[in-house]
Amino acid sequence: MINRVKIHFDQEREYLPLEAVRVLPEFFKQMMGGNGLFLKGYDTLIRVKFKGERPDGAHIWELETIPELIETIFTIQATPQFHVEVDYELINQKDNLLLGKVIDRRQTYATRQDPRNEKVRGNAVASNFLVAKTNIDFSKLTGVSSQVILSDIQRNVLKNYPQSKVVFLSGSTHSDEIDLMKEHKKPIFILDTETFESFPSEDVFDPKKTFEDEFLLDDKIQEYKKKKIGSYIYFPLFIQMKDMHFFAYLSLETERPGIPGEVLELFKEVERTFQERIMDSNTHILDVKQNVLNVSRGGVALEVNDMEIIKALKVKPTFTLDINFKLQAPIRMAIELRHLEEVNDFYRLGGRITGVSGDKKAKEIYHSLIDFFG
């Protein structure tokens, strides 16, 4: 039985629009003679053939095998060097023939620089996974040591803004602004408290309409006027574990309007650096072996059936492991998770290699092993 895969993590690709529907039939014919065209999202590769275009623009597809269920929206994909996806609205299905109307088409910016080696399966395993702990006590994670780390980072990154502060939340901490940051998981950045003009960014929550709807805006303007605050930014800090924990926020308040936009980027740097330090200090090694599905110079794909690894990746999507080629010394590498999907009774993991332990020679050895086992 062919089933849909369940996507648990998928790092967004950067896409360009795939130009002009009229060129698609020609492209499809080229791909059928090359790397092939496939129906996306199933636990088995389903090769498809382009059978023609109707006068109304709808496309006819023939499936090599028929899955249990075809969704009302289906996607045809191809990967020559770049990756292409074409979304269709299903108009009709008869046996292994699909009739669909194109609703979206896209291609990646990046091109694949090196091929995947599928022949390493059975010749290589992954082991010694250094992953995040999943049983972390949140109260300990945000204890005194974490506060020291965060305050130190804040002082260094924001040295040009010494009036900035780190405010740690307690059970009694409460304000409208804190509630909105917790709900929307975004900072609040007001450029001018007299007009309540917000910094123009999708990364920022604008509270003005909320305060208007709740008849609080005039009170808020008066509140900040009384406090002699002309501009402010509050940046929430969350720790991602099984849930998002809101434990502190970065604050900068000035008497004059117009806090510079660079402060938002500096606050993001504080958050990013803190997350890396705090999670790196809460890791452990899992002494398990998992199958390697394929490798390339830039990435690796694994078949994972150890649930502790899966739980850990949902806490922190970076890890290190050993790749063990047959009769060769293990190679230690750092991996950034790119996608994770559930396929029947196991998970398929794809990751980008961000570093190989050792000197330059270690990376050269890894590259030579890819070629050798090809």
Side-chain angles (χ1 to χ4, degrees):
M1 182 184 295
I2 300 173
N3 298 307
R4 295 280 297 180
V5 298
K6 184 177 179 182
I7 305 296
H8 288 268
F9 184 92
D10 196 15
Q11 191 174 78
E12 288 188 9
R13 296 174 185 261
E14 290 188 74
Y15 283 102
L16 287 168
L18 186 62
E19 299 298 334
V21 177
R22 67 177 182 273
V23 306
L24 286 180
E26 181 181 341
F27 171 75
F28 292 150
K29 289 171 186 175
Q30 289 174 350
M31 289 308 302
M32 283 191 294
N35 293 2
L37 296 157
F38 300 92
L39 187 64
K40 182 182 178 181
Y42 292 87
D43 59 7
T44 300
L45 281 178
I46 302 175
R47 190 177 288 269
V48 298
K49 292 181 180 178
F50 177 68
K51 301 299 288 185
E53 182 176 24
R54 295 200 322 185
D56 62 2
H59 291 168
I60 304 167
W61 291 97
E62 181 183 39
L63 308 185
E64 188 179 69
T65 50
I66 306 174
E68 185 78 3
L69 175 68
I70 298 290
E71 305 283 349
T72 54
I73 303 296
F74 66 93
T75 300
I76 303 297
Q77 65 179 12
T79 307
Q81 281 186 313
F82 50 94
H83 183 77
V84 171
E85 293 184 358
V86 183
D87 296 334
Y88 286 87
E89 179 184 356
L90 180 64
I91 298 173
N92 192 19
Q93 177 181 1
K94 185 176 181 182
D95 298 327
N96 66 333
L97 294 177
L98 302 182
L99 180 65
K101 176 186 176 184
V102 176
I103 55 176
D104 191 28
R105 54 207 181 275
R106 53 199 174 270
Q107 71 181 63
T108 55
Y109 282 95
T111 59
R112 183 173 297 283
Q113 298 298 319
D114 56 294
R116 292 172 178 167
N117 182 340
E118 310 276 352
K119 295 179 182 178
V120 296
R121 186 165 189 176
N123 290 309
V125 295
S127 64
N128 292 326
F129 290 77
L130 180 66
V131 295
K133 293 178 181 177
T134 57
N135 58 346
I136 302 171
D137 184 336
F138 179 71
S139 63
K140 293 180 180 178
L141 191 64
T142 56
V144 175
S145 61
S146 299
Q147 294 181 16
V148 171
I149 291 171
L150 181 54
S151 297
D152 178 62
I153 295 169
Q154 184 259 351
R155 278 194 301 270
N156 288 316
V157 175
L158 294 166
K159 57 188 175 184
N160 292 331
Y161 297 92
Q163 67 272 48
S164 63
K165 298 183 293 185
V166 182
V167 182
F168 293 95
L169 303 181
S170 65
S172 60
T173 309
H174 177 80
S175 74
D176 296 317
E177 289 79 2
I178 288 173
D179 290 343
L180 288 173
M181 287 191 289
K182 184 174 183 179
E183 178 184 353
H184 296 280
K185 297 180 174 57
K186 288 184 177 182
I188 295 174
F189 189 173
I190 300 300
L191 296 172
D192 187 342
T193 57
E194 285 193 10
T195 61
F196 246 75
E197 177 192 357
S198 180
F199 184 79
S201 170
E202 291 183 358
D203 295 336
V204 169
F205 176 72
D206 183 352
K208 186 173 183 177
K209 187 175 187 308
T210 301
F211 289 152
E212 285 177 335
D213 292 345
E214 296 178 1
F215 304 102
L216 291 174
L217 184 59
D218 289 341
D219 292 340
K220 287 292 176 184
I221 291 173
Q222 290 305 313
E223 175 188 335
Y224 287 108
K225 187 175 183 179
K226 187 176 180 180
K227 292 179 179 177
K228 295 184 179 180
I229 297 173
S231 180
Y232 71 87
I233 175 172
Y234 302 148
F235 191 102
L237 294 170
F238 292 88
I239 289 183
Q240 172 69 63
M241 295 196 298
K242 292 179 181 177
D243 300 304
M244 294 281 280
H245 294 270
F246 183 22
F247 74 101
Y249 65 93
L250 302 172
S251 165
L252 178 61
E253 300 168 343
T254 62
E255 191 170 342
R256 292 172 178 264
I259 290 175
E262 71 167 9
V263 174
L264 178 62
E265 296 306 314
L266 291 172
F267 277 4
K268 288 179 182 178
E269 185 180 343
V270 171
E271 177 192 41
R272 190 164 52 245
T273 307
F274 174 72
Q275 290 280 359
E276 289 173 357
R277 286 199 196 174
I278 198 67
M279 295 312 295
D280 285 347
S281 65
N282 288 277
T283 57
H284 64 153
I285 287 183
L286 297 176
D287 186 15
V288 295
K289 293 182 179 180
Q290 305 290 286
N291 291 328
V292 176
L293 297 176
N294 64 63
V295 293
S296 68
R297 292 187 173 218
V300 60
L302 308 176
E303 176 184 288
V304 178
N305 53 34
D306 185 279
M307 284 308 300
E308 190 61 30
I309 295 175
I310 302 304
K311 290 177 186 176
L313 292 177
K314 292 180 180 180
V315 172
K316 180 175 179 276
T318 57
F319 57 102
T320 60
L321 52 70
D322 288 339
I323 295 289
N324 302 270
F325 290 91
K326 272 187 178 179
L327 305 177
Q328 301 295 321
I331 297 174
R332 191 84 182 153
M333 55 180 62
I335 304 292
E336 176 190 30
L337 184 66
R338 298 301 296 268
H339 69 263
L340 180 67
E341 57 192 25
E342 189 175 349
V343 185
N344 299 326
D345 59 348
F346 69 93
Y347 290 78
R348 196 158 50 205
L349 176 161
R352 182 174 70 89
I353 299 170
T354 58
V356 177
S357 291
D359 54 20
K360 183 180 177 182
K361 191 175 180 181
K363 187 177 286 188
E364 292 174 354
I365 291 171
Y366 171 64
H367 293 167
S368 66
L369 287 171
I370 293 175
D371 297 335
F372 178 78
F373 284 94

